[in-house]
Amino acid sequence: MCADTSTTAYWDAAAVDFDNEPDHGLRDPAVREAWAARLWGWLPGRAGDVLDLGCGTGSLALLAAERGHRVTGVDRSPRMVELARAKLAGTGATVLVGDAAEPPLGEGSFDVVLVRHLLWMLPDRQAVLRRWARLLRPGGRLVLIEGRWGESDPVGLPAAELSALVGPLTERLSVEQLGPDAALWGRAVRDERYALVADLAPARRHAEIVDVHLILRRGDEVLLARRANTGYADGLLHAPSGHVEDGEDVRTAMLRETAEEIGLTLGPDEVRAVLVLQHKAPTGAARTGWFFEAELGEGGRQPVNREPEKCSELGWFPLDALPDDMVAYCRAGLEAYRAGHRFALHWHEPDDPIAYAPEGPGRLTPL
């Protein structure tokens, strides 16, 4: 790449004669028709929002607009933008002066990002591609027209290299070779020219495990169990808890887990939801925890360790002086409960310990 092509001044000067190239100006009806046929195959059949980055004088943007798409063009050259605005006058298209590598536009705003003969000139292509992908709506499409031009001393971006860069960002991609179609270039060419069309994965609904936690009160004390042999937070204290199973509501799950872990058969009217805490372990995925309160009456039923293979002991602890050797998010949940909060977050950062750290960062955020 010539160093001058990285400057705005270069492209301002080039704008005067830019459309003289058959594939730039599309002045020849045969060339224009060839590009229109290809472009219409790459763009969605229904009208959508198309972003043309490095749009130059707006020839491809005009083809998209004529097909009914809502078009936005971006180019760093004010002179190119001036010519593109004139070419697109009356179509409703918007053309902005801006850096195509960092477009001055909001994320998730477009159905298609169209880029021709630009990526090969940009540094840190992977970062640029990630930025372009973020401009797309779920299920959006990247249309990247690139090549490896010249035979003796070629410059550009081979299709195999671009495919490797784009692949991790998309659900599927295809490469369409354009070099053999002389009508696109107004002449026969022998170097590599292609279009890579890549569809982003559609949005997937967020899903996370739902767990339930029992705050079993005995006056001013709360029951805690010490984890053992589970592979997670072993040796730390935690409230009796478990996961909601398919088909269960959270209260039913709490009653089942209470019977399985500490041998108490409680009725639905003996537990009350007091806190919902979305939490995340340092290296895990998000979960939603429902905390239920129950009161242990005087005499009668007493909790017993029904799962000694997972729990080394049960113990009663003052709610206003909780022990330090607890699972951090459980302690945070009990602190939120004591403070009267009904909804909260406890979001571990990757370097946080699983255990409560008295001098560590506070991750509890009441909502």
Side-chain angles (χ1 to χ4, degrees):
M1 178 184 69
C2 173
D4 287 342
T5 61
S6 65
T7 68
T8 300
Y10 174 90
W11 292 108
D12 275 343
V16 177
D17 299 315
F18 189 78
D19 278 355
N20 291 339
E21 285 291 321
D23 59 306
H24 290 172
L26 308 186
R27 290 168 173 165
D28 183 325
V31 174
R32 191 176 196 277
E33 181 58 33
W35 276 103
R38 296 279 184 157
L39 186 65
W40 294 341
W42 300 329
L43 300 182
R46 58 176 177 79
D49 294 296
V50 175
L51 175 61
D52 186 355
L53 293 174
C55 65
T57 60
S59 296
L60 291 187
L62 179 59
L63 292 180
E66 289 175 344
R67 197 68 170 180
H69 294 288
R70 299 174 293 275
V71 177
T72 300
V74 175
D75 202 282
R76 68 183 302 176
S77 162
R79 180 57 179 151
M80 290 282 193
V81 168
E82 181 183 345
L83 294 172
R85 286 172 176 166
K87 189 177 291 187
L88 289 157
T91 67
T94 300
V95 188
L96 307 172
V97 176
D99 184 354
E102 287 287 343
L105 298 159
E107 297 183 1
S109 301
F110 296 93
D111 301 299
V112 177
V113 170
L114 169 67
V115 191
R116 181 168 68 162
H117 301 171
L118 174 64
L119 186 63
W120 73 278
M121 294 188 290
L122 300 178
D124 200 355
R125 294 166 185 161
Q126 188 69 72
V128 171
L129 286 167
R130 287 196 296 268
R131 168 61 177 148
W132 290 349
R134 291 197 299 270
L135 295 169
L136 290 167
R137 298 183 176 116
R141 175 172 292 179
L142 286 171
V143 178
L144 307 175
I145 304 166
E146 288 291 342
R148 181 104 169 128
W149 302 281
E151 296 179 59
S152 60
D153 187 19
V155 296
L157 185 59
E161 184 177 340
L162 182 54
S163 296
L165 291 171
V166 174
L169 304 175
T170 60
E171 185 173 51
R172 57 184 173 271
L173 64 82
S174 61
V175 174
E176 190 173 327
Q177 293 297 331
L178 305 180
D181 188 351
L184 293 169
W185 318 106
R187 64 188 187 281
V189 299
R190 289 191 292 273
D191 46 20
E192 183 183 20
R193 306 183 186 202
Y194 62 90
L196 186 150
V197 179
D199 293 328
L200 270 64
R204 291 178 171 81
R205 290 186 176 180
H206 176 68
E208 60 188 38
I209 292 172
V210 176
D211 46 37
V212 289
H213 308 264
L214 180 65
I215 304 174
L216 184 62
R217 299 285 300 270
R218 188 178 69 179
D220 293 332
E221 295 179 314
V222 63
L223 182 73
L224 298 177
R226 194 172 300 278
R227 298 175 63 87
N229 306 313
T230 68
Y232 178 80
D234 290 331
L236 298 178
L237 291 165
H238 196 279
S241 60
H243 298 158
V244 177
E245 296 180 353
D246 284 344
E248 281 187 320
D249 62 70
V250 291
R251 185 174 63 178
T252 298
M254 186 75 272
L255 298 177
R256 174 182 54 77
E257 290 288 352
T258 300
E260 291 176 356
E261 292 195 8
I262 59 174
L264 292 182
T265 302
L266 300 178
D269 59 345
E270 294 182 276
V271 296
R272 184 173 68 95
V274 291
L275 173 70
V276 177
L277 177 76
Q278 191 186 32
H279 59 96
K280 186 173 77 67
T283 57
R287 300 182 176 206
T288 297
W290 286 70
F291 285 72
F292 286 83
E293 176 189 60
E295 185 74 27
L296 189 68
E298 300 240 352
R301 300 168 297 172
Q302 294 296 316
V304 295
N305 185 0
R306 292 284 304 274
E307 296 182 330
E309 72 282 3
K310 298 179 183 178
C311 172
S312 61
E313 65 170 316
L314 298 177
W316 293 96
F317 298 86
L319 186 58
D320 60 358
L322 293 169
D324 289 345
D325 56 339
M326 289 186 66
V327 175
Y329 85 84
C330 180
R331 179 172 170 130
L334 293 178
E335 290 174 348
Y337 162 73
R338 282 188 62 233
H341 301 306
R342 298 299 303 272
F343 304 95
L345 300 175
H346 188 270
W347 217 251
H348 273 298
E349 297 298 332
D351 293 331
D352 288 348
I354 293 172
Y356 169 71
E359 304 303 322
R363 301 300 187 196
L364 179 64
T365 304
L367 299 177

